[in-house]
Amino acid sequence: MSGGATGRRLFVNEVATRDGFQMESRFIPTDDKVALIDRLSLLGYARIEVTSFTSAKAIPALRDGEAVMQRIVRRPGVVYTALVPNLRGAERALESRVDEFNIVMSVSETHNLANLRMTRAQSFAQLAEVIALARRAGVPVNVSLSCVFGCPMEGEVPLSGVLAWIDRFAALSVQGITLCDTTGMAFPTQVRAICEAVRARHPALPWTAHFHNTRGMGLANVVAAVEAGIARFDMSLGGIGGCPYAPGATGNVATEDVVHMLQCMGHDTGMDLDGLIAAAAELQTLVQHELPSQVSRAGHRLVRHAPPADFDDIAARAHARGAGELHA
Ligand code: COA
Ligand code: ZN
């Protein structure tokens, strides 16, 4: 059974090696990062967010960004992107020849100060320079806006404020905007309303949704965003991830869980689900803890399990009782 006629082409961005690894206590060796990305490159992704060009003091787990970018095999058709918080990060990303910048700021003043040590106005001013630098270099820019669906320190974030930041970036002709639910505060009806509002305001902009599963609403939020017309999604293999400067952050929606669900619903993600499940097993040995994802453990919904060992006896006894006894 599938959605058939309602199936759409949806695009998957992998963020495990950025959002995921930035939150791991164990430093994942550069060789292992490169091998994982090379493996993921064969699985059908639209984008892979390889690393971030942040300060090594802020995000020590990704201090090897240059080495990773230099050593991965670039598969045609996959966009290799990296998170960029400031001008220094943009210069590093340019030197590493990323295909696209994913620049970042928060729509919450408190989270922006905690995460980036700048006011939102300071971030925006610096990111405007980053956008100008990228334009001169011919590199596309996507903007990831943190805390669009709520801030773990400020609570509700007014939609009017979110829209004002979106308008300012749209005026600089960025190539796309990602709506990030940094700590899993989004819920489906809110997701639908916000996604519809931003699409109505800027219909030509490619929108991406980025959900964390902190409160178990991640998959429901993906469905709500699909229904609101969003076609691009960030997700993390194994469901690892989280912002170290957002209190209470936990992992992203898991790539294998989201892809499995979307495939069941008849959408075309272009992804190799079996390959994802195998890669998740590899990831688990890298991070050395159990992954939060579920399909990596349960497998596809049509995975068939053997019946109990004494099944033949059970069946024979049931059949021997005959139909009459049931009505006795
Ligand atoms: N890459 C590498 N080093 C950087 C850098 C970058 N993008 N930006 C700044 N630095 C270095 C500076 O050179 C300086 O180094 P020094 O101490 O050896 O002189 C040091 O970091 C401090 O620079 P400063 O500009 O004062 O930065 P800061 O301490 O105010 O931090 C950020 C600002 C944005 C660099 C930092 O907060 C950061 O990297 N945050 C990213 C957080 C993140 O990725 N969160 C999760 C994803 S949303
Ligand atoms: Zn995230």
Side-chain angles (χ1 to χ4, degrees):
M1 204 179 79
S2 78
T6 59
R8 301 219 318 263
R9 178 68 170 102
L10 301 174
F11 299 89
V12 178
N13 302 342
E14 180 58 56
V15 300
T17 55
R18 197 279 299 168
D19 208 331
F21 286 168
Q22 77 187 10
M23 198 64 169
E24 292 298 323
S25 46
R26 182 177 110 87
F27 180 79
I28 309 298
T30 308
D31 284 349
D32 292 334
K33 287 172 174 150
V34 171
L36 180 69
I37 291 165
D38 284 350
R39 176 174 189 158
L40 296 177
S41 284
L42 305 174
L43 300 182
Y45 289 103
R47 277 182 180 65
I48 297 179
E49 193 162 302
V50 173
T51 186
S52 71
F53 291 107
T54 45
S55 118
K57 259 181 242 151
I59 308 286
L62 302 180
R63 59 180 182 264
D64 57 354
E66 277 86 354
V68 176
M69 275 306 303
Q70 195 189 342
R71 285 161 54 186
I72 55 170
V73 177
R74 311 271 194 110
R75 295 275 162 192
V78 181
V79 174
Y80 294 91
T81 171
L83 194 81
V84 167
N86 60 8
L87 261 175
R88 174 82 193 96
E91 286 158 3
R92 293 174 60 203
L94 265 190
E95 274 168 41
S96 287
R97 297 184 303 105
V98 300
D99 295 326
E100 184 178 287
F101 290 174
N102 187 22
I103 62 176
V104 63
M105 71 168 272
S106 184
V107 294
S108 149
E109 185 78 357
T110 310
H111 180 246
N112 205 70
L113 281 162
N115 191 39
L116 302 170
R117 298 167 176 271
M118 289 178 267
T119 66
R120 288 173 299 176
Q122 288 164 344
S123 269
F124 183 80
Q126 191 151 162
L127 294 178
E129 288 184 54
V130 169
I131 292 166
L133 174 70
R135 183 160 305 126
R136 289 195 295 278
V139 178
V141 174
N142 183 78
V143 189
S144 277
L145 294 176
S146 308
C147 297
V148 163
F149 303 89
C151 167
M153 293 164 284
E154 289 186 10
E156 298 288 7
V157 173
L159 180 58
S160 57
V162 174
L163 295 175
W165 288 111
I166 286 171
D167 290 349
R168 295 178 77 179
F169 281 107
L172 298 179
S173 305
V174 295
Q175 275 73 32
I177 295 182
T178 302
L179 307 169
C180 299
D181 178 25
T182 309
T183 60
M185 293 173 69
F187 56 94
T189 45
Q190 176 206 33
V191 167
R192 187 165 187 141
I194 292 180
C195 292
E196 285 177 353
V198 301
R199 285 191 69 227
R201 203 168 171 101
H202 298 284
L205 257 182
W207 293 97
T208 301
H210 175 114
F211 296 117
H212 284 257
N213 196 34
T214 311
R215 293 179 174 81
M217 293 189 279
L219 288 181
N221 289 333
V222 171
V223 172
V226 170
E227 284 173 357
I230 304 296
R232 295 167 191 76
F233 291 89
D234 287 353
M235 48 193 96
S236 175
L237 190 69
I240 60 173
C243 173
Y245 300 99
T250 62
N252 295 71
V253 286
T255 310
E256 59 273 36
D257 293 357
V258 178
V259 165
H260 173 259
M261 176 186 77
L262 295 174
Q263 285 185 357
C264 289
M265 295 172 75
H267 297 298
D268 174 13
T269 62
M271 295 294 301
D272 170 356
L273 180 61
D274 290 334
L276 282 176
I277 292 172
E282 174 71 30
L283 176 66
Q284 181 157 293
T285 63
L286 287 188
V287 297
Q288 297 177 7
H289 61 76
E290 196 177 333
L291 301 174
S293 58
Q294 293 183 286
V295 171
S296 55
R297 261 168 290 158
H300 191 278
R301 65 182 276 271
L302 291 179
V303 160
R304 291 172 63 174
H305 300 271
D310 59 347
F311 182 79
D312 288 348
D313 288 347
I314 298 170
R317 254 179 278 130
H319 292 137
R321 278 203 294 274
E325 281 179 44
L326 290 177
H327 302 290

